[in-house]
């Protein structure tokens, strides 16, 4: 079993790029992290003992994360690498237990048992930091728990940037232009939505800092 999270729980297998870039509090949200959803793995047949699969995450058409998943009786084994604080890659390989509970209308539902030391909580989703662990172990909030109008605007703008293949978050002014294959009308609409959301975020930013200065 993994024993701890290390000093940087978001190393390499962590967020897709927006969490701390625009938030005013220190707590990340779940959508900033890679996710393993036991329901999706079960539907895809990935939990059948003896099956080995590769899961990848992409952004703007480029691969940004990869993990090998080997299914065994009562567990899956995760195999991937993370970059530590020194910049060196570290290989990670550990099991995540699986349990089942009966459904009211028949059948069974699968769950992960969080592999973080001292946890073992039954959860449907694990979030990837140095290890994949539950939301509470990573100290994550759902976006709706922590957002104001500016936060919501920034999160939506970052999602638009992902769709457009633009790097960075709302604070990043990088614009790589229209993605290949995207219609001009769609591109113009998404750009207009992005600019309006950024303007909302900037207004909220100014208002919040003005309030802090009073």
């Amino acid at each position: 079993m993994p024993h701890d999270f290390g000093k940087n729980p978001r190393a390499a297998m962590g967020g897709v790029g927006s969490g701390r870039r625009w938030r005013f509090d220190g707590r990340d949200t779940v959508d900033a992290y890679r996710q393993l959803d036991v329901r999706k793995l079960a539907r895809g047949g990935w939990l059948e003992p003896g099956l080995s699969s590769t899961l990848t995450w992409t952004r703007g058409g480029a691969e940004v994360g990869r993990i090998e998943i080997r299914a065994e009786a009562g567990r899956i084994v995760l195999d991937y690498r993370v970059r530590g604080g020194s910049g060196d890659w570290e290989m990670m390989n550990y099991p995540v237990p699986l349990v089942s509970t009966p459904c009211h209308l028949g059948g069974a539902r699968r769950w992960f048992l969080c592999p973080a030391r001292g946890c073992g909580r039954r959860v449907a989703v694990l979030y990837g930091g140095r290890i994949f662990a539950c939301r509470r172990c990573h100290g994550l909030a759902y976006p709706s728990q922590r957002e104001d109008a500016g936060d919501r605007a920034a999160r939506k703008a970052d999602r638009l940037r992902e769709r457009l293949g633009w790097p960075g978050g709302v604070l990043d002014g990088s614009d790589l232009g229209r993605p290949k294959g995207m219609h001009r009308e769609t591109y113009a609409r998404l750009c207009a939505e992005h600019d309006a959301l950024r303007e909302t975020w900037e207004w909220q930013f100014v208002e919040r800092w003005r309030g802090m200065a009073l």
Side-chain angles (χ1 to χ4, degrees):
M1 290 286 187
H3 283 215
D4 55 52
F5 295 94
K7 294 183 178 180
N8 181 10
R10 297 187 64 195
M13 295 301 294
V16 297
S18 61
R20 287 197 178 118
R21 218 184 300 266
W22 50 269
R23 296 201 58 78
F24 290 90
D25 55 61
R27 192 178 181 192
D28 284 336
T29 55
V30 295
D31 58 357
Y33 278 58
R34 315 252 193 266
Q35 300 180 17
L36 287 180
D37 190 320
V38 72
R39 296 160 296 190
K40 294 181 179 179
L41 296 183
R43 285 196 297 269
W46 290 37
L47 303 182
E48 295 299 322
L51 181 66
S52 295
S53 309
T54 301
L55 177 64
T56 60
W57 290 270
T58 61
R59 181 177 183 181
E63 183 179 308
V64 295
R66 171 184 293 262
I67 186 171
E68 305 293 330
I69 301 174
R70 185 175 73 254
E72 299 179 351
R75 69 182 192 175
I76 60 173
V77 178
L78 305 182
D79 189 352
Y80 58 94
R81 63 177 188 168
V82 297
R83 193 187 295 276
S86 64
D88 295 328
W89 288 100
E90 178 183 0
M91 300 306 299
M92 304 294 292
N93 182 282
Y94 56 90
V96 177
L98 296 167
V99 295
S100 300
T101 56
C103 298
H104 294 300
L105 300 179
R109 181 176 179 182
R110 309 296 294 274
W111 303 87
F112 293 127
L113 295 184
C114 176
R117 182 175 61 182
C119 185
R121 185 177 289 107
R122 189 176 69 190
V123 295
V125 181
L126 296 175
Y127 301 91
R130 182 175 180 274
I131 69 168
F132 278 82
C134 70
R135 179 177 67 87
R136 291 188 182 181
C137 284
H138 278 304
L140 303 177
Y142 292 114
S144 60
Q145 292 177 301
R146 308 291 291 185
E147 289 181 334
D148 61 13
D151 293 331
R152 286 191 295 274
R155 179 166 56 87
K156 291 177 181 178
D158 281 351
R159 286 181 175 175
L160 285 178
R161 295 184 69 85
E162 285 190 45
R163 184 175 175 184
L164 290 164
W166 295 353
V170 71
L171 293 182
D172 191 327
S174 300
D175 176 351
L176 299 183
R178 180 166 58 93
K180 184 178 180 180
M182 179 177 285
H183 292 297
R184 294 183 183 278
E185 294 81 3
T186 301
Y187 176 66
R189 175 175 56 82
L190 294 179
C191 286
E193 292 178 13
H194 174 271
D195 291 346
L197 290 167
R198 180 182 171 88
E199 184 175 335
T200 297
W201 179 85
E202 289 175 341
W203 182 83
Q204 285 291 129
F205 180 92
V206 172
E207 288 298 306
R208 189 177 301 192
W209 281 105
R210 183 180 296 167
M212 293 174 63
L214 294 178

